[in-house]
Amino acid sequence: MGNQVEKLTHLTYAEVPTSDPTGVDQEDCPRIGVSYIFSNDDDDLEDNVVGGSEKDPNQEENYDKCNELECSVFYRDECVYEKSLSAGDLSTYSPENLLNKCKPGDLVEFVAKNQYPHWTVYVGDFQVVHLHRAEIKNDFMTDASQGRRGRIVNDVYKFKPQKPEMVVQNAMEQVGARDRELSWRNSECFAAWCKFGKREFKIGGEIRIGKQPYSLKIQLSEKKSHILEFQSMEDLIMERRRNDQIGKNAVIQELVSHLHSEEVGTDHNAH
């Protein structure tokens, strides 16, 4: 596998296999040139809702930091997102310990093995606002965490943040919005919009035509990386979150399999 990983260098998003080659998401409005092989609302894949049955109390022990995928996002040549050990601390904490670290306006990411990261906005008084199961909710952080470990992620995006009071106001004004009232595809897009106020985090915030200005650089090893290109931040975030959910090892295996299938197809056409 090592030799094949070395060949993984660059793909456009059009080369990634999708569920519908016509580029139409059957559960949503028509898309331009892209279709997803994962859920429209990734929070739907969680086992239970806030206030429902408890998660396994040993859930946080299942989090595998070594399987976390380091990556960077570029808009043209500008780095607009970075998650790496060199760029910042990726340590996670229990919700109770996080409460001692959070200030109003902070973004908090909860993580667990085989689950999509869940982002929230800390609004003070031990509470967060978050998009969960197609509704913007105001919950206690300990409830919103569902037993997962978390960390403050104010600095992974490189945009200029709004003032903390504006971040809290943005979040609180959306509480109660649900279903078709929503302008965000997942919890990360909502939380990041509250923090930075950029339309790129909203559904349809960018027109998907022409060149693909966004690139996702996936760090496979210390010296090897792989690049995917996207027409919008929204598309890129959904693919990156899917990678976070399946983990580094599975992402590498997917890329190796995709490369192998291309090589087989090329050899077949040559004969």
Side-chain angles (χ1 to χ4, degrees):
M1 184 172 113
N3 292 335
Q4 296 198 60
V5 169
E6 291 181 1
K7 299 177 183 178
L8 298 174
T9 55
H10 193 281
L11 280 179
T12 65
Y13 195 63
E15 296 175 283
V16 178
T18 61
S19 60
D20 182 0
T22 65
V24 176
D25 186 338
Q26 300 298 332
E27 296 183 356
D28 198 5
C29 57
R31 317 296 290 181
I32 300 177
V34 65
S35 175
Y36 301 106
I37 58 177
F38 37 87
S39 171
N40 180 47
D41 179 0
D42 50 43
D43 285 331
D44 285 343
L45 298 184
E46 294 177 0
D47 293 332
N48 62 299
V49 299
V50 173
S53 59
E54 291 291 331
K55 290 276 186 181
D56 183 343
N58 295 319
Q59 177 71 66
E60 64 180 48
E61 297 179 4
N62 293 331
Y63 172 66
D64 185 2
K65 183 177 180 180
C66 295
N67 198 31
E68 185 155 15
L69 195 66
E70 298 181 58
C71 64
S72 302
V73 174
F74 294 85
Y75 178 72
R76 304 193 191 283
D77 295 326
E78 178 186 3
C79 181
V80 296
Y81 173 99
E82 184 176 10
K83 183 177 72 171
S84 67
L85 292 172
S86 60
D89 184 12
L90 297 181
S91 300
T92 58
Y93 305 89
S94 68
E96 293 76 13
N97 287 335
L98 268 179
L99 287 171
N100 297 323
K101 301 175 180 293
C102 286
K103 301 183 296 294
D106 282 348
L107 302 187
V108 178
E109 177 190 47
F110 292 106
V111 293
K113 184 179 179 180
N114 298 327
Q115 292 188 29
Y116 285 90
H118 188 70
W119 285 48
T120 69
V121 181
Y122 184 69
V123 295
D125 296 327
F126 313 112
Q127 298 178 53
V128 297
V129 172
H130 59 137
L131 172 55
H132 184 250
R133 293 192 176 275
E135 183 179 354
I136 306 296
K137 301 178 179 179
N138 183 192
D139 290 304
F140 285 108
M141 179 185 285
T142 50
D143 292 334
S145 72
Q146 294 189 341
R148 293 168 289 195
R149 295 178 67 85
R151 58 193 168 207
I152 298 172
V153 287
N154 292 331
D155 299 325
V156 291
Y157 282 104
K158 307 306 178 184
F159 304 118
K160 181 180 179 181
Q162 301 188 88
K163 293 181 178 180
E165 55 269 26
M166 180 58 66
V167 178
V168 172
Q169 179 179 324
N170 288 342
M172 294 301 295
E173 285 180 347
Q174 299 300 323
V175 172
R178 60 186 305 166
D179 299 325
R180 295 189 178 276
E181 300 172 343
L182 298 173
S183 299
W184 309 272
R185 194 169 294 280
N186 53 57
S187 62
E188 179 176 340
C189 287
F190 170 69
W193 174 82
C194 291
K195 185 76 171 180
F196 304 105
K198 296 182 72 66
R199 62 179 173 81
E200 287 88 340
F201 293 110
K202 288 190 169 185
I203 294 174
E206 297 172 283
I207 299 176
R208 297 175 177 83
I209 59 175
K211 294 182 179 180
Q212 297 172 306
Y214 291 96
S215 58
L216 172 62
K217 182 179 180 181
I218 302 171
Q219 204 65 38
L220 302 173
S221 66
E222 186 176 346
K223 296 183 179 180
K224 300 297 179 182
S225 61
H226 177 72
I227 294 175
L228 289 172
E229 293 183 340
F230 299 81
Q231 287 185 323
S232 73
M233 175 73 80
E234 179 189 355
D235 295 340
L236 186 150
I237 288 174
M238 292 194 69
E239 175 64 10
R240 181 177 54 71
R241 288 171 61 79
R242 188 187 74 90
N243 292 343
D244 287 340
Q245 186 255 336
I246 65 176
K248 179 179 180 179
N249 295 334
V251 169
I252 292 176
Q253 188 57 51
E254 276 191 355
L255 294 174
V256 168
S257 298
H258 179 65
L259 176 65
H260 178 68
S261 65
E262 279 193 332
E263 291 178 341
V264 171
T266 300
D267 292 342
H268 178 76
N269 291 335
H271 293 297

Coordinates of all heavy atoms in Angstrom, one line a residue, residues 162-239:
Q162 N -16.0 37.7 14.2 CA -16.8 38.8 14.7 C -16.6 38.9 16.2 O -16.1 38.0 16.9 CB -18.3 38.6 14.4 CG -18.5 38.4 12.9 CD -20.0 38.4 12.5 OE1 -20.6 39.4 12.3 NE2 -20.5 37.2 12.4
K163 N -17.1 40.0 16.8 CA -16.9 40.2 18.3 C -17.8 39.1 19.0 O -18.8 38.7 18.5 CB -17.4 41.6 18.6 CG -16.5 42.7 18.1 CD -17.0 44.0 18.6 CE -16.1 45.1 18.1 NZ -16.6 46.5 18.5
P164 N -17.3 38.7 20.1 CA -18.0 37.6 20.9 C -19.5 37.8 21.1 O -20.3 36.9 20.9 CB -17.3 37.5 22.2 CG -15.9 38.0 21.9 CD -16.1 39.1 20.8
E165 N -19.9 39.1 21.4 CA -21.3 39.4 21.6 C -22.1 39.2 20.3 O -23.3 38.8 20.4 CB -21.5 40.8 22.2 CG -20.8 41.9 21.4 CD -19.4 42.2 21.8 OE1 -18.7 41.3 22.4 OE2 -19.0 43.4 21.6
M166 N -21.5 39.5 19.2 CA -22.2 39.4 17.9 C -22.3 37.9 17.6 O -23.3 37.4 17.0 CB -21.4 40.1 16.8 CG -22.1 40.0 15.4 SD -23.8 40.6 15.4 CE -23.5 42.3 15.7
V167 N -21.3 37.1 17.9 CA -21.4 35.6 17.6 C -22.5 35.0 18.4 O -23.3 34.3 17.9 CB -20.0 35.0 18.0 CG1 -20.1 33.4 17.8 CG2 -18.9 35.5 17.2
V168 N -22.6 35.4 19.7 CA -23.7 34.9 20.6 C -25.1 35.4 20.0 O -26.0 34.6 19.9 CB -23.5 35.4 22.0 CG1 -24.8 35.1 22.8 CG2 -22.3 34.8 22.6
Q169 N -25.1 36.6 19.6 CA -26.4 37.2 19.1 C -26.8 36.4 17.8 O -28.0 36.1 17.6 CB -26.2 38.7 18.7 CG -27.5 39.3 18.1 CD -27.3 40.8 17.9 OE1 -26.7 41.5 18.6 NE2 -27.9 41.3 16.8
N170 N -25.8 36.2 16.9 CA -26.1 35.4 15.7 C -26.7 34.1 16.0 O -27.7 33.6 15.4 CB -24.9 35.2 14.8 CG -24.4 36.5 14.2 OD1 -25.1 37.5 14.0 ND2 -23.1 36.5 13.8
A171 N -26.2 33.4 17.0 CA -26.6 32.1 17.4 C -28.0 32.1 18.0 O -28.9 31.4 17.6 CB -25.6 31.4 18.3
M172 N -28.2 33.0 19.0 CA -29.4 33.0 19.7 C -30.6 33.4 18.8 O -31.7 33.0 19.0 CB -29.3 34.0 20.9 CG -28.3 33.5 22.0 SD -28.8 31.9 22.7 CE -30.3 32.3 23.5
E173 N -30.4 34.3 17.8 CA -31.4 34.7 16.9 C -32.0 33.6 16.1 O -33.1 33.7 15.5 CB -31.0 35.9 16.0 CG -30.8 37.2 16.8 CD -30.3 38.3 15.9 OE1 -29.9 38.0 14.7 OE2 -30.4 39.5 16.3
Q174 N -31.2 32.5 15.9 CA -31.6 31.4 15.1 C -32.3 30.3 15.8 O -32.8 29.3 15.2 CB -30.4 30.9 14.3 CG -29.8 31.9 13.4 CD -30.7 32.4 12.3 OE1 -31.5 31.7 11.8 NE2 -30.6 33.7 12.0
V175 N -32.3 30.4 17.2 CA -32.9 29.3 18.0 C -34.3 29.0 17.6 O -35.1 30.0 17.5 CB -32.7 29.6 19.5 CG1 -33.5 28.5 20.3 CG2 -31.3 29.6 19.9
G176 N -34.7 27.8 17.3 CA -36.1 27.5 17.0 C -36.2 27.3 15.5 O -37.2 26.7 15.0
A177 N -35.3 27.8 14.7 CA -35.4 27.6 13.2 C -35.2 26.1 12.9 O -34.4 25.4 13.5 CB -34.3 28.4 12.5
R178 N -36.0 25.6 11.9 CA -35.9 24.2 11.6 C -36.3 23.9 10.2 O -36.9 24.7 9.5 CB -36.9 23.4 12.6 CG -38.3 23.8 12.5 CD -39.1 23.1 13.5 NE -38.9 21.7 13.5 CZ -39.3 20.8 14.4 NH1 -39.9 21.2 15.5 NH2 -39.1 19.5 14.2
D179 N -35.9 22.7 9.8 CA -36.3 22.2 8.4 C -36.0 23.2 7.3 O -34.8 23.6 7.2 CB -37.8 21.8 8.4 CG -38.1 20.7 9.5 OD1 -37.2 19.8 9.7 OD2 -39.2 20.7 10.1
R180 N -37.0 23.6 6.6 CA -36.7 24.4 5.4 C -36.4 25.9 5.8 O -36.0 26.7 4.9 CB -37.9 24.4 4.4 CG -38.1 23.0 3.8 CD -39.2 23.0 2.7 NE -39.3 21.7 2.1 CZ -38.5 21.2 1.2 NH1 -37.5 21.9 0.7 NH2 -38.7 20.0 0.7
E181 N -36.5 26.2 7.0 CA -36.1 27.6 7.5 C -34.6 27.7 7.6 O -34.0 28.8 7.7 CB -36.7 27.9 8.8 CG -38.2 27.9 8.9 CD -38.8 28.0 10.3 OE1 -38.0 27.8 11.2 OE2 -40.0 28.4 10.4
L182 N -33.9 26.5 7.6 CA -32.5 26.5 7.8 C -31.7 26.9 6.6 O -32.1 26.6 5.5 CB -32.0 25.1 8.3 CG -32.6 24.6 9.6 CD1 -32.3 23.1 9.8 CD2 -32.2 25.5 10.7
S183 N -30.6 27.6 6.8 CA -29.7 28.0 5.7 C -28.3 27.3 5.8 O -27.4 27.7 5.1 CB -29.5 29.5 5.8 OG -30.7 30.2 5.6
W184 N -28.2 26.3 6.6 CA -26.9 25.6 6.8 C -27.1 24.1 6.7 O -28.1 23.6 7.2 CB -26.3 26.0 8.2 CG -26.3 27.4 8.4 CD1 -25.3 28.3 8.1 CD2 -27.3 28.2 9.0 NE1 -25.6 29.6 8.4 CE2 -26.9 29.6 8.9 CE3 -28.6 28.0 9.5 CZ2 -27.6 30.6 9.4 CZ3 -29.4 29.0 10.0 CH2 -28.9 30.3 9.9
R185 N -26.2 23.4 6.2 CA -26.3 22.0 5.9 C -25.9 21.1 7.1 O -26.3 20.0 7.2 CB -25.4 21.6 4.7 CG -25.8 20.3 4.1 CD -25.1 20.0 2.8 NE -25.6 20.9 1.8 CZ -26.7 20.7 1.1 NH1 -27.5 19.7 1.4 NH2 -27.1 21.6 0.2
N186 N -25.1 21.7 8.0 CA -24.7 20.9 9.2 C -24.2 21.8 10.3 O -24.2 23.0 10.2 CB -23.5 19.9 8.8 CG -22.4 20.6 8.1 OD1 -21.8 21.6 8.6 ND2 -22.1 20.2 6.9
S187 N -23.9 21.2 11.4 CA -23.6 21.9 12.6 C -22.4 22.8 12.5 O -22.3 23.9 13.0 CB -23.4 21.0 13.8 OG -22.3 20.1 13.6
E188 N -21.4 22.3 11.7 CA -20.2 23.1 11.5 C -20.4 24.4 10.7 O -20.0 25.4 11.0 CB -19.1 22.3 10.8 CG -17.8 23.0 10.6 CD -16.7 22.2 10.0 OE1 -16.8 20.9 10.1 OE2 -15.8 22.8 9.4
C189 N -21.2 24.2 9.6 CA -21.5 25.4 8.8 C -22.3 26.4 9.6 O -22.0 27.6 9.5 CB -22.3 25.0 7.6 SG -21.4 24.1 6.3
F190 N -23.2 26.0 10.4 CA -24.0 26.9 11.3 C -23.0 27.7 12.3 O -23.1 28.9 12.4 CB -25.1 26.2 12.0 CG -25.7 27.1 13.0 CD1 -26.5 28.2 12.7 CD2 -25.6 26.9 14.4 CE1 -27.1 29.0 13.6 CE2 -26.1 27.7 15.4 CZ -26.9 28.8 15.0
A191 N -22.2 26.9 13.0 CA -21.4 27.5 14.0 C -20.4 28.4 13.4 O -20.1 29.5 13.9 CB -20.7 26.4 14.8
A192 N -19.8 28.0 12.3 CA -18.8 28.9 11.6 C -19.4 30.2 11.1 O -18.8 31.2 11.1 CB -18.1 28.1 10.5
W193 N -20.7 30.1 10.6 CA -21.4 31.3 10.1 C -21.6 32.2 11.3 O -21.4 33.4 11.1 CB -22.7 30.9 9.5 CG -23.5 32.1 9.1 CD1 -23.4 32.9 8.0 CD2 -24.5 32.7 9.9 NE1 -24.3 33.9 8.1 CE2 -25.0 33.9 9.2 CE3 -25.1 32.4 11.2 CZ2 -26.0 34.7 9.7 CZ3 -26.1 33.2 11.7 CH2 -26.6 34.3 11.0
C194 N -22.0 31.7 12.4 CA -22.2 32.6 13.6 C -20.9 33.3 14.0 O -20.9 34.5 14.3 CB -22.6 31.7 14.8 SG -24.3 31.0 14.7
K195 N -19.8 32.6 13.8 CA -18.5 33.1 14.2 C -17.9 34.2 13.2 O -17.4 35.2 13.6 CB -17.5 32.0 14.4 CG -16.1 32.4 14.9 CD -16.2 32.7 16.4 CE -14.8 32.9 17.0 NZ -14.8 33.2 18.5
F196 N -18.1 33.8 11.9 CA -17.4 34.6 10.9 C -18.4 35.4 10.0 O -17.9 36.3 9.3 CB -16.5 33.8 10.1 CG -15.5 33.0 10.9 CD1 -15.7 31.6 11.1 CD2 -14.4 33.6 11.4 CE1 -14.8 30.9 11.8 CE2 -13.5 32.9 12.2 CZ -13.7 31.5 12.4
G197 N -19.6 35.0 10.0 CA -20.6 35.8 9.2 C -20.5 35.7 7.7 O -21.0 36.6 7.0
K198 N -19.8 34.7 7.2 CA -19.6 34.6 5.8 C -20.6 33.8 5.1 O -21.0 32.7 5.6 CB -18.2 34.0 5.6 CG -17.0 34.9 6.1 CD -15.7 34.3 5.8 CE -15.3 34.4 4.3 NZ -15.2 35.8 3.9
R199 N -21.1 34.3 4.0 CA -22.2 33.6 3.2 C -21.7 32.2 2.7 O -22.5 31.4 2.4 CB -22.7 34.5 2.1 CG -21.6 34.8 1.1 CD -22.2 35.7 -0.1 NE -21.2 36.1 -1.0 CZ -20.6 35.4 -2.0 NH1 -21.1 34.2 -2.2 NH2 -19.7 35.9 -2.7
E200 N -20.4 32.0 2.6 CA -19.9 30.8 2.0 C -20.3 29.6 2.9 O -20.3 28.4 2.4 CB -18.3 30.8 2.0 CG -17.8 31.7 0.9 CD -17.6 33.2 1.3 OE1 -18.3 33.6 2.3 OE2 -16.8 33.9 0.7
F201 N -20.7 29.8 4.1 CA -21.1 28.7 5.0 C -22.6 28.4 4.8 O -23.0 27.4 5.4 CB -20.8 29.0 6.5 CG -19.3 29.1 6.8 CD1 -18.7 30.3 7.1 CD2 -18.5 28.0 6.8 CE1 -17.4 30.4 7.4 CE2 -17.2 28.0 7.1 CZ -16.6 29.3 7.4
K202 N -23.3 29.2 4.1 CA -24.7 28.9 3.9 C -25.0 28.0 2.7 O -24.2 28.0 1.8 CB -25.5 30.2 3.7 CG -25.6 31.1 5.0 CD -26.5 32.2 4.8 CE -26.9 32.9 6.1 NZ -27.9 34.0 6.0
I203 N -26.1 27.4 2.7 CA -26.5 26.5 1.6 C -26.7 27.4 0.4 O -27.4 28.5 0.4 CB -27.9 25.8 1.9 CG1 -27.7 24.8 3.0 CG2 -28.4 25.1 0.6 CD1 -29.0 24.2 3.4
G204 N -26.0 27.1 -0.7 CA -26.1 27.9 -2.0 C -25.4 29.2 -1.9 O -25.7 30.1 -2.7
G205 N -24.5 29.4 -0.9 CA -23.9 30.7 -0.7 C -22.9 31.1 -1.8 O -22.5 32.2 -2.0
E206 N -22.5 30.1 -2.6 CA -21.6 30.3 -3.8 C -22.2 29.6 -5.0 O -22.8 28.5 -4.9 CB -20.2 29.8 -3.5 CG -19.6 30.5 -2.3 CD -18.3 29.8 -1.9 OE1 -18.3 28.7 -1.3 OE2 -17.2 30.3 -2.3
I207 N -22.0 30.2 -6.2 CA -22.4 29.6 -7.4 C -21.4 28.6 -7.9 O -20.2 28.9 -7.9 CB -22.6 30.7 -8.5 CG1 -23.7 31.7 -8.1 CG2 -22.9 30.1 -9.8 CD1 -23.8 32.9 -9.0
R208 N -21.8 27.4 -8.2 CA -20.9 26.3 -8.5 C -20.7 26.3 -10.0 O -21.2 25.4 -10.7 CB -21.4 25.0 -8.0 CG -21.4 24.9 -6.5 CD -22.1 23.6 -6.1 NE -22.1 23.4 -4.6 CZ -23.1 23.9 -3.9 NH1 -24.1 24.6 -4.4 NH2 -23.1 23.7 -2.6
I209 N -20.0 27.2 -10.6 CA -19.7 27.2 -12.0 C -18.2 27.6 -12.2 O -17.6 28.2 -11.3 CB -20.6 28.2 -12.8 CG1 -20.5 29.6 -12.3 CG2 -22.0 27.7 -12.8 CD1 -21.2 30.6 -13.1
G210 N -17.7 27.2 -13.4 CA -16.4 27.6 -13.7 C -15.3 26.8 -13.0 O -15.5 25.6 -12.6
K211 N -14.2 27.4 -12.7 CA -13.1 26.8 -12.1 C -13.4 26.4 -10.6 O -14.3 27.0 -10.0 CB -11.8 27.7 -12.1 CG -11.3 27.9 -13.5 CD -10.1 28.8 -13.5 CE -9.5 29.0 -14.9 NZ -8.3 29.9 -14.9
Q212 N -12.6 25.5 -10.1 CA -12.8 25.0 -8.7 C -11.8 25.7 -7.8 O -10.6 25.3 -7.7 CB -12.6 23.5 -8.6 CG -13.7 22.8 -9.4 CD -13.4 21.3 -9.5 OE1 -12.3 20.9 -9.9 NE2 -14.4 20.5 -9.1
P213 N -12.2 26.8 -7.1 CA -11.2 27.6 -6.4 C -10.7 27.1 -5.1 O -9.8 27.6 -4.5 CB -11.9 29.0 -6.2 CG -13.4 28.6 -6.1 CD -13.5 27.4 -7.0
Y214 N -11.5 26.1 -4.5 CA -11.1 25.5 -3.2 C -10.4 24.2 -3.4 O -10.7 23.4 -4.2 CB -12.4 25.3 -2.4 CG -13.1 26.5 -1.9 CD1 -14.2 27.0 -2.7 CD2 -12.7 27.2 -0.8 CE1 -14.9 28.1 -2.3 CE2 -13.4 28.4 -0.4 CZ -14.5 28.8 -1.1 OH -15.1 30.0 -0.8
S215 N -9.4 24.0 -2.5 CA -8.7 22.8 -2.5 C -8.5 22.3 -1.1 O -8.3 23.0 -0.1 CB -7.3 22.9 -3.2 OG -6.5 23.9 -2.5
L216 N -8.7 20.9 -0.9 CA -8.5 20.3 0.4 C -7.3 19.4 0.3 O -7.2 18.5 -0.5 CB -9.8 19.4 0.6 CG -9.7 18.5 1.9 CD1 -9.6 19.3 3.1 CD2 -10.9 17.5 1.9
K217 N -6.3 19.8 1.1 CA -5.0 19.1 1.2 C -5.1 18.1 2.4 O -5.1 18.6 3.5 CB -3.9 20.1 1.3 CG -2.5 19.4 1.3 CD -1.4 20.4 1.4 CE 0.0 19.8 1.5 NZ 1.1 20.8 1.6
I218 N -5.1 16.9 2.1 CA -5.2 15.8 3.1 C -3.8 15.3 3.4 O -3.1 14.9 2.5 CB -6.1 14.7 2.7 CG1 -7.5 15.2 2.3 CG2 -6.1 13.6 3.7 CD1 -8.4 14.1 1.7
Q219 N -3.3 15.4 4.6 CA -2.0 14.9 5.0 C -2.0 13.4 5.3 O -2.6 13.0 6.3 CB -1.5 15.7 6.2 CG 0.0 15.8 6.4 CD 0.6 16.6 5.2 OE1 0.1 17.6 4.8 NE2 1.8 16.1 4.8
L220 N -1.5 12.6 4.4 CA -1.5 11.2 4.5 C -0.4 10.7 5.4 O -0.5 9.7 6.1 CB -1.4 10.5 3.2 CG -2.5 10.9 2.2 CD1 -2.2 10.3 0.8 CD2 -3.8 10.5 2.7
S221 N 0.8 11.4 5.4 CA 1.9 11.0 6.2 C 2.8 12.3 6.4 O 2.4 13.4 5.9 CB 2.7 9.9 5.6 OG 3.3 10.3 4.4
E222 N 3.9 12.2 7.0 CA 4.7 13.4 7.2 C 5.1 14.0 5.9 O 5.2 15.2 5.8 CB 6.0 13.0 8.0 CG 6.8 14.2 8.4 CD 8.0 13.8 9.3 OE1 8.0 12.6 9.8 OE2 8.9 14.6 9.5
K223 N 5.4 13.2 4.9 CA 5.8 13.7 3.6 C 4.9 13.6 2.4 O 5.1 14.2 1.4 CB 7.2 13.0 3.2 CG 8.3 13.3 4.2 CD 9.6 12.6 3.7 CE 10.7 12.9 4.7 NZ 12.0 12.3 4.3
K224 N 3.8 12.9 2.6 CA 2.8 12.6 1.5 C 1.5 13.3 1.8 O 1.0 13.3 2.9 CB 2.6 11.1 1.3 CG 3.9 10.4 1.0 CD 4.5 10.8 -0.3 CE 5.8 10.1 -0.6 NZ 6.4 10.5 -1.9
S225 N 0.9 13.9 0.8 CA -0.4 14.5 0.9 C -1.2 14.3 -0.4 O -0.6 13.8 -1.4 CB -0.2 16.0 1.1 OG 0.4 16.7 0.1
H226 N -2.5 14.6 -0.3 CA -3.4 14.3 -1.4 C -4.3 15.5 -1.5 O -4.7 16.1 -0.5 CB -4.2 13.1 -1.2 CG -5.2 12.8 -2.2 ND1 -4.8 12.4 -3.5 CD2 -6.5 12.8 -2.2 CE1 -5.9 12.2 -4.2 NE2 -7.0 12.5 -3.4
I227 N -4.7 15.9 -2.7 CA -5.4 17.2 -2.9 C -6.7 16.9 -3.7 O -6.7 16.2 -4.7 CB -4.6 18.2 -3.7 CG1 -3.4 18.7 -2.8 CG2 -5.5 19.4 -4.0 CD1 -2.5 19.7 -3.5
L228 N -7.8 17.4 -3.2 CA -9.1 17.4 -3.9 C -9.5 18.8 -4.1 O -9.3 19.7 -3.3 CB -10.2 16.7 -3.0 CG -10.1 15.2 -2.8 CD1 -11.1 14.7 -1.8 CD2 -10.3 14.5 -4.2
E229 N -10.2 19.1 -5.2 CA -10.6 20.4 -5.6 C -12.2 20.5 -5.6 O -12.9 19.5 -5.9 CB -10.1 20.8 -7.0 CG -8.6 21.0 -7.0 CD -8.1 21.4 -8.4 OE1 -8.9 21.3 -9.4 OE2 -7.0 22.0 -8.5
F230 N -12.7 21.7 -5.2 CA -14.1 21.9 -5.0 C -14.5 23.3 -5.6 O -13.7 24.2 -5.6 CB -14.5 21.8 -3.5 CG -14.2 20.5 -2.9 CD1 -12.9 20.2 -2.4 CD2 -15.2 19.6 -2.7 CE1 -12.6 19.0 -1.8 CE2 -14.9 18.4 -2.1 CZ -13.6 18.1 -1.7
Q231 N -15.8 23.4 -5.9 CA -16.3 24.7 -6.4 C -16.8 25.5 -5.3 O -17.0 26.7 -5.5 CB -17.4 24.4 -7.5 CG -16.8 23.9 -8.8 CD -17.9 23.8 -9.8 OE1 -19.0 23.4 -9.5 NE2 -17.6 24.1 -11.1
S232 N -17.1 25.0 -4.1 CA -17.6 25.8 -3.0 C -17.1 25.3 -1.7 O -16.8 24.1 -1.5 CB -19.2 25.8 -3.1 OG -19.6 24.5 -2.6
M233 N -17.1 26.2 -0.7 CA -16.8 25.8 0.6 C -17.7 24.8 1.2 O -17.4 23.9 1.9 CB -16.8 27.1 1.5 CG -16.5 26.8 3.0 SD -14.8 26.4 3.4 CE -14.1 28.1 3.4
E234 N -19.0 24.9 0.9 CA -20.0 24.0 1.4 C -19.7 22.6 1.0 O -19.8 21.6 1.8 CB -21.4 24.4 0.8 CG -22.6 23.6 1.3 CD -23.8 23.9 0.5 OE1 -23.9 24.9 -0.2 OE2 -24.8 23.2 0.7
D235 N -19.4 22.4 -0.3 CA -19.1 21.0 -0.8 C -17.8 20.5 -0.1 O -17.8 19.3 0.3 CB -18.8 21.1 -2.3 CG -20.1 21.4 -3.1 OD1 -21.2 21.3 -2.6 OD2 -19.9 21.9 -4.3
L236 N -16.9 21.3 0.0 CA -15.6 20.9 0.7 C -15.8 20.5 2.1 O -15.3 19.5 2.5 CB -14.6 22.0 0.6 CG -13.2 21.7 1.0 CD1 -12.1 22.6 0.3 CD2 -13.0 22.0 2.5
I237 N -16.6 21.3 2.8 CA -16.8 21.0 4.3 C -17.5 19.6 4.4 O -17.1 18.8 5.3 CB -17.7 22.1 4.9 CG1 -16.8 23.3 5.1 CG2 -18.2 21.6 6.3 CD1 -17.6 24.5 5.6
M238 N -18.5 19.3 3.5 CA -19.2 18.1 3.6 C -18.2 16.9 3.4 O -18.3 15.9 4.1 CB -20.4 18.0 2.7 CG -21.5 19.0 3.1 SD -23.0 18.7 2.3 CE -23.5 17.2 3.0
E239 N -17.3 17.0 2.4 CA -16.4 15.9 2.2 C -15.4 15.8 3.3 O -15.0 14.7 3.7 CB -15.6 16.2 0.8 CG -14.5 15.2 0.5 CD -15.0 13.8 0.4 OE1 -16.2 13.5 0.2 OE2 -14.2 12.8 0.3

